[in-house]
Amino acid sequence: MIKKIPRYAIIPTIVLMLLQYLAYYGTQFINKYLPAYDFTIPAFDEKVPVLTFFIIFYILSCPWWYISPFIVATISKRKFYDWTLALMICFVIGGIIFIAIPTTITRPILKNDNVFNILTNIIYQNDSPARPINLFPSFHCIISWFDYMGVRRDKSIPLWYRLSALIFAILICLSTQFVKQHYIVDLISGIIIAEVVYFLVKKFNWGRILQRLYKDNLN
């Protein structure tokens, strides 16, 4: 699908990565001492089993996030700029929510008796171990759903990849539940925010803001 990396996509992709980390980790300096809310729905969340083999999909999401912008860029510049700006807006919205409504989760205590538990514990220890924070909405779900939305209706992208993107996005969203990194409200809110923001950006062609910023044409 990618004969060569679209050069115009490199800087926006780097900006996306920086904004993602700023929104997720930067806000933790602000809400570090704020009270955190627990959005668990006992009737649902407490019945979700711990299935740590899903940590594989949780981890594999990261390289997919950094490849997807270039795949979307092969479709068209207009598509890429709309998609990129929408994801940037989602990061800003998420960052504001992280500060206004910090959320936390109770993680299970796992024995390091298999490779999946070990990997899950590594994620726990490297992702705000003292107090899990910034759960609502789930960035894992927002970004992964965007990676699917970017290709889902474009026939220039092979059908096998579009279907794979859908399946992979679903598996990643499920992984946030089964490895107990998020509650169900985090998953649902992430997908809703992604869909609404992307719809508005496309409807009003807000992507032209980035196009003008980079002084790029849409050929």
Side-chain angles (χ1 to χ4, degrees):
M1 286 181 292
I2 302 180
K3 295 181 179 179
K4 62 178 180 179
I5 295 178
R7 292 185 179 180
Y8 73 89
I10 295 176
I11 293 179
T13 299
I14 293 174
V15 173
L16 271 178
M17 294 168 57
L18 294 175
L19 189 56
Q20 172 194 343
Y21 280 89
L22 177 62
Y24 185 76
Y25 292 105
T27 55
Q28 293 181 23
F29 289 100
I30 300 175
N31 61 20
K32 182 177 181 179
Y33 300 105
L34 296 176
Y37 301 92
D38 188 333
F39 281 4
T40 180
I41 301 176
F44 180 87
D45 293 302
E46 292 180 1
K47 295 181 180 179
V48 176
V50 178
L51 302 174
T52 55
F53 67 84
F54 269 85
I55 196 66
I56 299 300
F57 303 113
Y58 191 87
I59 294 172
L60 288 178
S61 63
C62 291
W64 190 42
W65 294 348
Y66 305 137
I67 294 171
S68 291
F70 299 106
I71 294 176
V72 176
T74 64
I75 299 172
S76 71
K77 287 185 177 181
R78 184 179 299 278
K79 173 81 174 227
F80 175 77
Y81 284 129
D82 282 344
W83 182 89
T84 302
L85 181 64
L87 187 49
M88 288 179 176
I89 292 173
C90 285
F91 288 151
V92 173
I93 292 174
I96 292 172
I97 295 175
F98 292 159
I99 295 172
I101 315 174
T103 49
T104 189
I105 191 172
T106 301
R107 290 168 172 160
I109 298 176
L110 303 173
K111 295 181 179 179
N112 287 328
D113 55 3
N114 63 69
V115 65
F116 303 117
N117 283 12
I118 292 172
L119 289 173
T120 302
N121 279 326
I122 290 174
I123 293 296
Y124 288 171
Q125 289 302 313
N126 286 275
D127 182 17
S128 53
R131 183 180 74 159
I133 203 72
N134 290 355
L135 280 77
F136 176 85
S138 166
F139 269 16
H140 254 77
C141 295
I142 286 177
I143 305 170
S144 299
W145 202 251
F146 256 90
D147 291 346
Y148 162 61
M149 290 193 300
V151 300
R152 66 182 171 189
R153 292 193 179 95
D154 285 280
K155 294 184 178 179
S156 61
I157 300 296
L159 178 60
W160 69 264
Y161 183 83
R162 286 180 276 151
L163 291 175
S164 298
L166 172 60
I167 294 171
F168 197 33
I170 291 174
L171 288 172
I172 292 170
C173 289
L174 290 176
S175 76
T176 67
Q177 305 299 297
F178 292 134
V179 300
K180 299 299 180 177
Q181 279 287 78
H182 289 278
Y183 290 129
I184 190 63
V185 294
D186 309 324
L187 185 160
I188 294 174
S189 62
I191 292 177
I192 290 176
I193 290 173
E195 289 281 359
V196 171
V197 172
Y198 192 39
F199 170 79
L200 292 175
V201 170
K202 289 192 299 179
K203 180 177 178 62
F204 297 104
N205 192 25
W206 290 341
R208 66 179 182 272
I209 296 173
L210 284 184
Q211 177 254 322
R212 291 173 180 173
L213 178 65
Y214 290 106
K215 298 179 180 179
D216 197 358
N217 59 49
L218 297 180
N219 296 326

